[in-house]
Amino acid sequence: MTSLLQTEKRHLWHPFTPMQAWCEEGHEPLMLVSGHGCYLKDQHGREYLDGNSSIWTNIHGHGHPTINAAIRAQLDQVAHTSFLGFTHEPAIQLGKQLVDLLPGSDLSRVFYSDNGSTAIECAIRMALQYWKQNGHPSRDTILAFDRAYHGDTLGAASVGGIPIFKGSGNDFGYRVQRVPTLEALDDLTRDEIKRLSAVIIEPLIQGSAGMRLWPKGMLKALSDWCRQHDIFLILDEVMTGFGRTGKMFACQHEDVIPDFLCLAKGLTGGYLPLAATLTTERVFEGFLGPGRAFYYGHSYTANQLGCAAALGSLQVFREERVLEHLPEKVAHFTHLLTTLRDLPSVMDIRQCGMIAGIEIGPYAPERLMGVKTCLAARQHGLLTRPVVDTLVLMPPLAATHVELTTMVQALRMAISEVAAPTSS
């Protein structure tokens, strides 16, 4: 094992990870070797509860027999074939099931890609190309919100509102009009509005902004504004989709149907990379005609194993009545989170369904108190990651009441051990 970790430090490079500290001789990386249900096991045989759903992806727990069986059955057929000029049954079945999750809506077309960033890229490119080739080439601007996060590819990052995620520079990508709030739309000039192709938003809650909640009713009001001005609405449900907020999709809380719905992360239950961008017949028909096509795609678009995993995950939703059991589970989660409010260093707790952010402080950013608290939580059997000093707790939907209680207790002990209120 020591030799293997030396090889790790010699050759690998991890995302969002300060690699100098990672590669120091005294640091032993945590190697996750197996998982079952809501638990993960490391190289020493220690078990941890998966408190951030393996970076917000896992839905039904690890090693779920239904999803495992779906992948194995597909593996006996074929693992992957091109989707460029070909099709296959798992993609067809999944597309129909995704559309059926929003009965009566105008969302009728499904475009597959690989991850959340590419789902966003698809929606933005579709919106811009639609207007350009349908008589409105001046509609070349995307309206986005401050502190938004929509992914790390160049285009997705350009509509994001958190500078640190944009790399070495911020002047790249799409033409963006950025606003802080819904009310700021009133300050847009007529000419600015006429240039808008689409508005993009994370519905109900901004994830990488520190689990920042939008005011109730904001999404519905934004949708109405878009309809009034005939501007496409893109909803980034990469994090919020598939039950995280208590409904299958966050937009259903306010009866909003967008022009583009971007899905990834939980789409396969947290098993394999797969994304989908759902859109309308209006958009689809805008790409019909001689020589017209949507010139975007990936080698692994609609990968059969990914589609099989997603079909397995949706089967679990149906057979285990996951959504029906969520209200009681969310209420228990809310009660548990409330018990953390008596800790002096807990500044705020923000919750949306099974998504929670516990903000501690105030601390100087260089003290890395969020990181230190999450590391301390490992000693109490909990794995999670912070957003600066906001401790993210996003358990799999499969977590039991006992497991949720254990997670919050572990976080409480970690906060008590590490965090003390200070103004420095």
Side-chain angles (χ1 to χ4, degrees), residues 327-342:
E328 182 184 3
K329 195 169 290 188
V330 170
H332 182 63
F333 193 39
T334 301
H335 168 72
L336 293 170
L337 292 169
T338 300
T339 66
L340 298 177
R341 293 189 181 275
D342 67 338

Side-chain angles (χ1 to χ4, degrees), residues 58 60-80 90 93-94 267-274 303-316:
N58 193 276
H60 308 296
H62 302 275
H64 195 289
T66 299
I67 304 177
N68 288 358
I71 294 171
R72 288 193 183 102
Q74 181 59 46
L75 193 57
D76 287 337
Q77 302 300 314
V78 64
H80 174 70
Q93 290 183 345
L94 178 59
L267 174 57
T268 65
Y271 269 65
L272 291 166
L274 184 70
N303 167 259
Q304 278 96 326
L305 295 180
C307 290
L311 287 166
S313 176
L314 293 179
Q315 181 181 342
V316 176

Side-chain angles (χ1 to χ4, degrees), residues 216-276:
K216 187 175 181 179
M218 182 273 196
L219 183 64
K220 177 63 175 173
L222 177 63
S223 176
D224 292 344
W225 186 87
C226 288
R227 299 289 171 258
Q228 176 187 347
H229 297 284
D230 194 24
I231 297 168
F232 289 140
L233 177 61
I234 301 172
L235 294 189
D236 179 351
E237 293 234 23
V238 172
M239 178 187 75
T240 56
F242 301 100
R244 293 289 184 199
T245 65
K247 292 183 180 290
M248 184 61 79
F249 302 115
C251 60
Q252 294 173 315
H253 286 274
E254 298 192 7
D255 296 322
V256 167
I257 298 297
D259 301 284
F260 299 90
L261 182 65
C262 301
L263 307 172
K265 285 191 183 294
L267 174 57
T268 65
Y271 269 65
L272 291 166
L274 184 70

Side-chain angles (χ1 to χ4, degrees), residues 109-141:
R109 295 285 171 173
V110 179
F111 191 96
Y112 294 112
S113 61
D114 297 357
N115 58 68
S117 296
T118 59
I120 298 297
E121 295 279 0
C122 289
I124 294 175
R125 287 190 185 209
M126 285 178 179
L128 292 170
Q129 187 177 338
Y130 175 92
W131 294 117
K132 184 175 182 180
Q133 65 191 18
N134 288 282
H136 297 277
S138 63
R139 301 184 72 162
D140 61 354
T141 303

Side-chain angles (χ1 to χ4, degrees), residues 106-111 126-127 129-130 133-134 232 259-260 278-289 292-294:
D106 291 333
L107 295 173
S108 58
R109 295 285 171 173
V110 179
F111 191 96
M126 285 178 179
Q129 187 177 338
Y130 175 92
Q133 65 191 18
N134 288 282
F232 289 140
D259 301 284
F260 299 90
L278 277 62
T279 191
T280 65
E281 286 300 305
R282 176 192 179 185
V283 173
F284 179 77
E285 290 172 0
F287 284 77
L288 301 179
R292 286 189 176 184
F294 180 49

